[in-house]
Amino acid sequence: NSQPEVARLLLDVAASILQAGQVELVLSLVDQRWARTADPSHVRYFIFKVLEECIPPYSPWFAATLVRLMAASGVRRSRGQRDSMAQQRLLEEFAAGAAAAGAPPPPPP
């Protein structure tokens, strides 16, 4: 089935547009229109693509929007083997940056 592959390709494109400077546009569309009906695994994929590309300092709006997407899609900080070490590192870096921006940290396990 190629549907998940097409979805991931489109999410890669969205992350590239975000990286090109259209942060508010892309995150607003994802947060307000797409994430509510999307497969949570696709939202999580997008979140980690964003975290791979965006580094602190974060704006309060950016951090709060990602935290909201994380909570809605089931992203949790954990120490389990279920998540990759790279993803855990990204979440820890994001948590520190979000705290510095005044946003709540990603949800605990």
Side-chain angles (χ1 to χ4, degrees), residues 6-54:
V6 171
R8 287 201 168 145
L9 177 63
L10 292 172
L11 293 172
D12 289 342
V13 170
S16 295
I17 293 169
L18 184 136
Q19 184 184 19
Q22 297 299 317
V23 176
E24 212 168 303
L25 172 68
V26 172
L27 280 184
S28 292
L29 287 171
V30 167
D31 183 40
Q32 296 171 8
R33 297 184 185 241
W34 176 73
R36 295 177 188 176
T37 59
D39 181 323
S41 69
H42 291 151
V43 179
R44 289 189 298 271
Y45 177 83
F46 176 76
I47 289 167
F48 284 107
K49 291 298 286 184
V50 169
L51 292 179
E52 288 172 3
E53 301 297 332
C54 299

Side-chain angles (χ1 to χ4, degrees), residues 40-81:
S41 69
H42 291 151
V43 179
R44 289 189 298 271
Y45 177 83
F46 176 76
I47 289 167
F48 284 107
K49 291 298 286 184
V50 169
L51 292 179
E52 288 172 3
E53 301 297 332
C54 299
I55 59 171
Y58 303 125
S59 72
W61 178 85
F62 176 88
T65 302
L66 273 187
V67 168
R68 189 170 45 254
L69 288 170
M70 288 176 179
S73 66
V75 171
R76 301 281 186 268
R77 289 186 294 164
S78 71
R79 303 217 191 293
Q81 294 181 358

